[in-house]
Amino acid sequence: MKIFRLAALLLTTSISFSQNIFSEKENIANSEKSSAAKLMNLAVNPNTQNYDVIYHKLEFTVNPTNYFISGKITTTYIALSNMTTLIFDLSNTLTVSSVKINNNNLIFSQNTSELIIALPTTQISGTQATIEVTYSGAPPQNGFFAFSSSTHGLGVPVIYTLSEPFGARDWWPCKQDLNDKIDSIDVYITAPSEYISVSNGVEPAAPVIFGTQKTTHFHHGYPIPAYLICMAVTNYDVYTQLPSAATPNVTYPIVNYIYPESNTPALQTQLAQTPLILDLYSNLLETYPFSNEKYGHAQFGWGGGMEHTTVSFMVSFGRQLIAHEMAHQWFGDKITCGTWKDIWLNEGFATYIASLVIENFDGSTAFITEKTNMINNITSSPNGAVYLTETEALDVNRVFDPRLSYDKGAMVLNMLRFKLGDAIFFQGIKNYLADVNLAYKYAITSNLQAHLEAVFGSSLTEFFNDWIYNQGYPKYTITVQNSAVGQAGITVNQTTTDLSVPFFEMPVPIRLTGAGGVSQDVVVNNTVNGEQFTVSVPFPVTGVQFDPKKDIISKLSTATLDISDFNFDQSIQIYPNPASNAISIDFSEGIEIESAIFYTVLGQKIMETKSDKNWDISSLTSGIHFLSVQTNKGTKQFKFIKK
């Protein structure tokens, strides 16, 4: 999701937000952090942890010409422990007039941010109850409004909401922590009859008009966190895109709520990208998670978008904004980050999945440009982790930092894809989305790691520690030398920008070029500093390029051709190759073997020995393997074939 950092701009009602001033990704990040101040109380409210909400009936009465809301919220919940009080999150600018259970009035009180309800008797753990809260008032106007009243066009009024991260309490009594999803909701919006109302889910029946008022009913039958429940009311045009044979995975309507002055053929051409992207995501990931209802958009006044479940709120309809908010329907809406420390599971994923639209629709060159832009943003500062500390998770600007939560999170996913390969990476992501313990629930970073490790067959702890939990990035110095005929020697050194990671283990992509424009891309699995590799190349190397497809976060890395002799490379060899049962090593005087590590072609460690000169490989599977030999003179990697 996205928002603007300049609160003064946000307070105006008729600002044109220019992409020339703010990058689209900055706008996205800013829209998604609808917050009152830089520092907010984002800590879990311990007073709301003793119950599980299973249903909300939300009845709102609004008029876009007035900054005011009246509501009745009927909540069905299950006690998780014996309860004598029930507490909801609610701003004290909203006044509760009554609380009832079984039509009986209950005693209640309000403090700054809570509604405290005294239950008539002790509610026993495991039992269910339904509470009805009636309230009204003007929601707090605290910088980034969760509830906004504005205008569009020639002064037409509009009301819309944007609750991420903790703004739901500003306009209705709720439980807004990231630990409870409401199983289903019904939303009833009553407004003057000339307006169109929008919320999550589908309309089970036509709106009901009574006098000058109209009530519109929406039902959403999937689990949803409080911050994704939404409302918007104005004189929308409704533009519906129906399923077509051109996008076979899109079997549900796409319903767009557009300001009349914006509803032009040019905008409808932009919206034509929506079913194409939905179809792509369904192929790459899985079927759209809310396919029994709808997908769509509603135009609103923030400078970006917000991924409300089944209906993304949008300031405009550029393809990449559509792609980002749509990706959230899988990452953020179906599976929601379990803490704000894990926000990259929402934002890093949405950013990376949206970049796959560029890869699939525009081609590899455009995709490389997009990754280059992300890398440049990430490396504009030497520090910063993807995963947040407890203190950082209280800072809304840090939670929705475009450099770290969005771009670095996205490029970490790209590096995982590069390390694991497409088949394993996408299967791991599909398994993560399908996990019954996570689907339509919450996830933390370790859940994703476990699913990727399960298909990769090897630990990713070091990768996650280096790239997600710790800070910085590597600067590579790569030297290539022509050695024997048909071979080149590669030496890889690196320094890091932050002391939290002394060395980044990564497969390193290198492009070798020769006369006449010939080239060969190689990948060396860099596990120690100063590591040396020998690669086969069918031409004399005349040039070298580091990471030509921009798959690694790095800055100021160099790759050069060294015309001097690569003596170490010629002084150590393995034999026989191919081999059936055993491999030996031959080396010159003065070289001492310190260790040897065997890897699969995917970089998985399968065997490690110390100071050996001969190795039994009879248990290895047939095919290509790699052997990394550490010596007192350096490290060399061999490729061999097990027959």
Side-chain angles (χ1 to χ4, degrees):
M1 123 183 184
K2 318 155 194 182
I3 288 181
F4 276 89
R5 286 187 180 148
L6 300 183
L9 292 181
L10 289 174
L11 295 177
T12 66
T13 59
S14 59
I15 293 174
S16 174
F17 296 102
S18 170
Q19 294 297 324
N20 295 326
I21 300 174
F22 298 99
S23 71
E24 183 173 89
K25 209 164 292 174
E26 188 93 0
N27 296 350
I28 290 173
N30 281 331
S31 286
E32 292 173 341
K33 62 174 183 189
S34 179
S35 60
K38 181 180 178 183
L39 293 176
M40 287 185 63
N41 177 20
L42 299 183
V44 172
N45 185 351
N47 299 323
T48 63
Q49 304 308 297
N50 58 348
Y51 64 95
D52 174 26
V53 177
I54 58 176
Y55 173 74
H56 279 312
K57 180 181 181 182
L58 304 105
E59 298 173 87
F60 302 119
T61 299
V62 294
N63 185 334
T65 63
N66 299 321
Y67 190 83
F68 194 84
I69 185 170
S70 300
K72 183 168 71 174
I73 309 301
T74 305
T75 302
T76 301
Y77 67 95
I78 296 174
L80 300 179
S81 62
N82 292 348
M83 301 172 59
T84 57
T85 60
L86 174 69
I87 295 178
F88 291 120
D89 296 301
L90 183 66
S91 169
N92 65 354
T93 66
L94 300 172
T95 301
V96 175
S97 56
S98 73
V99 178
K100 295 182 179 182
I101 186 170
N102 298 324
N103 211 33
N104 296 315
N105 289 315
L106 299 181
I107 298 172
F108 62 89
S109 62
Q110 290 183 254
N111 60 30
T112 302
S113 59
E114 293 177 326
L115 168 63
I116 302 141
I117 302 166
L119 298 175
T121 59
T122 299
Q123 184 175 346
I124 304 303
S125 177
T127 61
Q128 180 175 303
T130 298
I131 295 282
E132 177 188 290
V133 177
T134 303
Y135 72 101
S136 63
Q141 300 185 47
N142 45 20
F144 294 101
F145 300 168
F147 180 95
S148 294
S149 177
S150 182
T151 61
H152 66 89
L154 298 176
V156 179
V158 56
I159 279 178
Y160 52 82
T161 63
L162 196 166
S163 298
E164 190 176 21
F166 271 7
R169 64 186 173 195
D170 286 351
W171 59 284
W172 63 282
C174 61
K175 178 183 178 180
Q176 62 180 10
D177 289 327
L178 296 178
N179 52 31
D180 190 2
K181 287 194 177 183
I182 307 106
D183 293 354
S184 65
I185 60 172
D186 283 287
V187 181
Y188 295 82
I189 304 171
T190 299
S193 58
E194 66 264 30
Y195 297 119
I196 299 291
S197 298
V198 183
S199 191
N200 314 87
V202 294
E203 295 183 52
V208 176
I209 297 175
F210 46 99
T212 61
Q213 299 291 98
K214 178 172 65 178
T215 298
T216 308
H217 173 205
F218 291 87
H219 174 75
H220 183 56
Y222 294 88
I224 184 172
Y227 81 86
L228 289 175
I229 294 175
C230 65
M231 172 177 60
V233 181
T234 192
N235 66 331
Y236 286 117
D237 280 351
V238 181
Y239 172 60
T240 300
Q241 298 164 273
L242 297 175
S244 75
T247 51
N249 292 303
V250 183
T251 58
Y252 40 86
I254 301 168
V255 185
N256 303 287
Y257 299 85
I258 310 298
Y259 294 157
E261 66 273 13
S262 301
N263 192 12
T264 64
L267 184 141
Q268 293 183 15
T269 297
Q270 288 182 302
L271 287 171
Q273 294 291 308
T274 304
L276 301 177
I277 301 170
L278 281 164
D279 197 62
L280 173 67
Y281 288 176
S282 295
N283 282 319
L284 290 175
L285 305 169
E286 63 173 17
T287 300
Y288 169 59
F290 309 102
S291 58
N292 289 338
E293 296 185 353
K294 72 169 188 290
Y295 185 61
H297 308 98
Q299 202 164 3
F300 79 149
W302 285 116
M306 175 62 208
E307 67 274 10
H308 299 125
T309 308
T310 74
V311 55
S312 294
F313 282 16
M314 311 281 283
V315 70
S316 59
F317 297 92
R319 189 188 69 182
Q320 289 310 114
L321 181 56
I322 291 174
H324 181 99
E325 302 309 335
M326 184 192 299
H328 272 308
Q329 301 296 313
W330 285 261
F331 303 99
D333 293 9
K334 180 184 181 181
I335 297 183
T336 307
C337 62
T339 75
W340 296 113
K341 296 185 294 184
D342 299 276
I343 185 63
W344 81 283
L345 294 177
N346 289 19
E347 301 305 341
F349 260 108
T351 303
Y352 187 62
I353 298 302
S355 78
L356 300 186
V357 173
I358 297 174
E359 180 184 27
N360 284 272
F361 288 8
D362 302 334
S364 60
T365 300
F367 186 45
I368 291 169
T369 299
E370 175 68 7
K371 290 187 288 184
T372 300
N373 292 336
M374 288 194 284
I375 291 170
N376 288 343
N377 186 33
I378 296 162
T379 59
S380 63
S381 177
N383 311 110
V386 170
Y387 189 80
L388 278 68
T389 65
E390 294 285 351
T391 300
E392 288 174 331
L394 303 179
D395 181 341
V396 176
N397 281 342
R398 173 59 188 90
V399 172
F400 296 99
D401 186 321
R403 184 175 74 88
L404 298 173
S405 298
Y406 291 70
D407 282 350
K408 190 171 184 182
M411 279 305 299
V412 163
L413 289 168
N414 183 79
M415 291 191 295
L416 280 165
R417 177 185 174 187
F418 178 70
K419 179 179 175 68
L420 275 59
D422 277 15
I424 290 176
F425 173 77
F426 282 107
Q427 187 60 57
I429 299 306
K430 290 177 181 179
N431 294 350
Y432 169 76
L433 288 167
D435 187 338
V436 295
N437 296 311
L438 306 177
Y440 304 101
K441 299 183 179 75
Y442 295 97
I444 58 176
T445 297
S446 59
N447 299 135
L448 174 66
Q449 179 181 340
H451 276 290
L452 293 175
E453 287 179 338
V455 289
F456 184 49
S458 188
S459 173
L460 292 169
T461 296
E462 181 158 8
F463 181 96
F464 273 70
N465 285 342
D466 288 353
W467 289 105
I468 295 173
Y469 297 112
N470 288 309
Q471 303 185 50
Y473 50 85
K475 173 186 174 182
Y476 288 97
T477 302
I478 295 169
T479 304
V480 176
Q481 296 166 307
N482 288 295
S483 52
V485 175
Q487 290 186 329
I490 300 174
T491 303
V492 181
N493 287 282
Q494 68 165 258
T495 57
T496 65
T497 63
D498 190 272
L499 293 177
S500 64
V501 182
F503 183 84
F504 288 90
E505 290 193 11
M506 269 299 291
V508 177
I510 301 166
R511 177 165 293 167
L512 306 175
T513 59
V518 296
S519 67
Q520 177 174 308
D521 289 349
V522 299
V523 178
V524 295
N525 190 36
N526 184 213
T527 58
V528 294
N529 223 350
E531 194 165 9
Q532 294 182 313
F533 307 87
T534 298
V535 298
S536 298
V537 55
F539 51 81
V541 178
T542 60
V544 56
Q545 181 184 357
F546 165 73
D547 192 17
K549 297 179 182 178
K550 301 301 178 184
D551 285 316
I552 297 181
I553 299 170
S554 183
K555 184 179 183 180
L556 299 177
S557 292
T558 60
T560 57
L561 181 65
D562 187 344
I563 61 173
S564 62
D565 292 337
F566 195 63
N567 294 326
F568 171 71
D569 183 70
Q570 298 174 14
S571 301
I572 180 169
Q573 299 294 331
I574 63 170
Y575 66 93
N577 188 10
S580 298
N581 298 308
I583 282 183
S584 299
I585 191 165
D586 183 32
F587 50 88
S588 301
E589 185 177 351
I591 295 178
E592 298 176 3
I593 306 300
E594 296 175 350
S595 67
I597 305 175
F598 288 80
Y599 297 92
T600 69
V601 72
L602 294 176
Q604 299 165 299
K605 185 188 295 185
I606 51 178
M607 183 168 64
E608 181 173 2
T609 66
K610 303 289 186 181
S611 304
D612 289 342
K613 301 178 183 179
N614 305 285
W615 299 282
D616 181 0
I617 63 168
S618 58
S619 63
L620 301 186
T621 59
S622 298
I624 297 173
H625 297 273
F626 290 93
L627 168 62
S628 181
V629 179
Q630 178 82 41
T631 79
N632 62 326
K633 301 292 186 180
T635 302
K636 183 176 178 183
Q637 187 177 86
F638 300 93
K639 180 170 73 173
F640 69 92
I641 298 174
K642 165 66 164 62
K643 293 192 294 186

